Amino acid sequence: MTTLQTQPLNTLWYTRCPVPTGLGISIQKGWLKEKFIEQRIEIKSIRESNSKEVRNSHFNHTLANSVRHGGSIPAIWAYASGQKTKVIGLSWADEVQLLLTRYDSQIKTVEDLKGKRFGLPLNQDAIIDFSRAQAIRGLENALKTVNLKVSDLELVDCLRADILVAQQQNHTEENDASFFSNRNKLSASAEIVALIKGDVDAIFLKGAHAAQIAHDFALHTIIDIGSHPDPILRSNNGTPRTLTVDEDFLSQYPQQAQSIVDAVLQAEQWAHVHADETHRYLAKECNSSEQWVHAAYGADAHLKLNTNFDETSIIALQDLSDFLYRWKFIPAQINVREWLAQDIAIHAQVA
């Protein structure tokens, strides 16, 4: 790994998804900033930028000197599309992944879905329609448990374009947390409305938002594929989550890349022995409440924050990327092991 630097590093950009991540806690605790303050390196949030191009880097990872910890589907898409990134860690926090129907539906089991209408989010203006991809992934994995295929159902598109336009218009008047909170609540509205109106028979939702929606609308859970014993059937956008940096940053500033991993591991190790505080932090990260964090991630959510290169995570990430290529969400197949920068992360685990 080369250490030649063309110029000093002045700014590190960061972003994470509104889900449980070690990077998120490290940011809240101020530990990421502490790692760089003595080096006079400024830490800036991609999501809080006034520039749309910068904010888009949350999905396409085009911004130099940036780190992202979150859902794997956008990260896979960016890499498969030619963006030079490296994975410096994988985290896996199992979460509810629910196939839901109305309380008065006759659909009670996965077998009952055969021939039924399944509502899928569709946002044609998205850089990568990860919500649609994760919904199909959850559906396909659930159907595998009863030897059914997605083609055994009727797929119904639920358009999100109008909702997303409204979100972008409101962004300048909202802070980072409220914007992504509203995005989470609104982005699934199309399929929820379709389900309640009876235009579709079932939908997919995951995470704390799914747990709350299922409760608030008294929806019936057909299956929680997120609790299946087979980790490959549980693998989706959040299982595992990728910690990525741009390749040039890793090659030019390996010590700073190491500091990022160390900050993430520091937060995770702290979380393991501070359950109550961690759950409060996770509720803030998820733009939810502790009640729904517990419902979605379990009372032991603080113990699920572990960034490493577990072999199961690597296999699951490859399976997810193969799925994305098969469903034409990404333009090329990828070899996950070639994407990993295991040397830096493995060193960090024993630091």
Side-chain angles (χ1 to χ4, degrees), residues 252-281:
Q252 294 179 27
Y253 309 105
Q255 293 182 341
Q256 284 74 22
Q258 183 68 64
S259 294
I260 293 171
V261 176
D262 291 344
V264 170
L265 296 178
Q266 177 185 3
E268 293 173 347
Q269 291 160 7
W270 173 86
H272 295 169
V273 292
H274 295 84
D276 291 343
E277 291 175 83
T278 299
H279 291 173
R280 287 193 288 272
Y281 278 119

Side-chain angles (χ1 to χ4, degrees), residues 85-138:
T85 61
K86 281 292 185 180
V87 177
I88 58 174
L90 296 170
S91 62
W92 188 303
D94 280 313
E95 58 189 347
V96 294
Q97 299 183 50
L98 308 179
L99 265 60
L100 299 167
T101 190
R102 287 174 25 155
Y103 70 93
D104 57 351
S105 171
Q106 296 304 307
I107 301 172
K108 302 302 179 184
T109 67
V110 178
E111 292 95 332
D112 296 334
L113 284 170
K114 186 174 182 179
K116 299 301 190 295
R117 301 163 301 170
F118 196 87
L120 288 177
L122 176 62
N123 179 22
Q124 295 174 311
D125 297 326
I127 296 174
I128 167 64
D129 198 348
F130 70 91
S131 295
R132 185 177 182 85
Q134 71 183 15
I136 296 176
R137 174 69 170 181

Side-chain angles (χ1 to χ4, degrees), residues 137-154:
R137 174 69 170 181
L139 172 63
E140 182 177 85
N141 283 348
L143 294 175
K144 285 180 180 179
T145 66
V146 294
N147 296 317
L148 288 177
K149 299 179 180 179
V150 175
S151 59
D152 291 320
L153 285 70
E154 176 187 352

